Amino acid sequence: MRRACNYAVNKEDMMKYVFFGVGLPAVGPLPPNMPAFNPEVNPYAYDSEKARALLAEAGYPNRFDCVLWTMESGSFRLVAEATVEYLRQAGVRARMVMYDPATYWDKFDEYLTADGREFPTKEGVFDMYLGGWTGGEMAHEFLDPLFRGGSYSNSSFYDN
């Protein structure tokens, strides 16, 4: 499902039209100026048909419904609106739920304990969210909070 959604979103066009050509689409969790950045990582190219095929393979040949959280402000709203449309074209119907910036991140706290045992996705609260991340000066400062199971900043609830 994550791969399908990655293929469904045209990140190049989003950078061009939403961000007016300023910046680069992310190809991983590390920025290109970090020494640990791997330029060999292949980004997900926009491919709506491949997204549809992966959704069908996952058991959703006609449509998949989900909830996307975002903030009402600035680029978050614009990115969310574009993402919802790209997903729709691939067969994913995302219901966008917006919060004001003052309460957005607090909404995560309602469902996540300090040890990371309670996840919003387990309660069906949201399936996707838009967020921003400013790591640190070392790869560890980017990766550990985002990907370590039980980390309070692991809002994607990745755990391997």
Side-chain angles (χ1 to χ4, degrees):
M1 299 300 292
R2 289 180 185 191
R3 288 177 38 227
C5 291
N6 269 292
Y7 282 114
V9 176
N10 189 332
K11 293 171 266 317
E12 296 289 337
D13 275 2
M14 196 177 296
M15 292 304 301
K16 183 176 179 182
Y17 297 112
V18 174
F19 295 102
F20 306 104
V22 177
L24 301 167
V27 296
L30 297 175
N33 62 338
M34 181 145 303
F37 175 77
N38 182 355
E40 311 267 325
V41 171
N42 291 322
Y44 285 90
Y46 173 63
D47 190 338
S48 187
E49 291 306 312
K50 187 167 190 166
R52 283 185 175 277
L54 287 169
L55 288 169
E57 184 181 314
Y60 299 95
N62 299 316
R63 190 180 77 217
F64 173 74
D65 293 324
C66 64
V67 175
L68 169 69
W69 276 13
T70 189
M71 285 185 270
E72 294 174 329
S73 66
S75 61
F76 282 94
R77 182 180 185 147
L78 295 173
V79 169
E81 289 171 344
T83 299
V84 165
E85 178 57 22
Y86 284 125
L87 291 172
R88 185 195 63 76
Q89 293 174 22
V92 175
R93 186 170 61 183
R95 182 173 57 87
M96 187 169 59
V97 177
M98 290 188 291
Y99 296 100
D100 66 89
T103 60
Y104 182 68
W105 292 109
D106 286 341
K107 295 298 291 179
F108 288 89
D109 293 344
E110 294 177 21
Y111 304 100
L112 181 63
T113 63
D115 62 2
R117 286 184 293 135
E118 297 177 22
F119 300 145
T121 52
K122 288 185 178 174
E123 297 180 24
V125 176
F126 72 86
D127 301 294
M128 302 177 198
Y129 74 96
L130 291 177
W133 178 250
T134 302
E137 297 177 6
M138 301 181 320
H140 174 78
E141 294 168 335
F142 275 83
L143 301 174
D144 182 70
L146 296 176
F147 296 107
R148 181 175 43 84
S151 166
Y152 193 71
S153 296
N154 184 351
S155 301
S156 294
F157 312 111
Y158 177 83
D159 190 14
N160 182 346

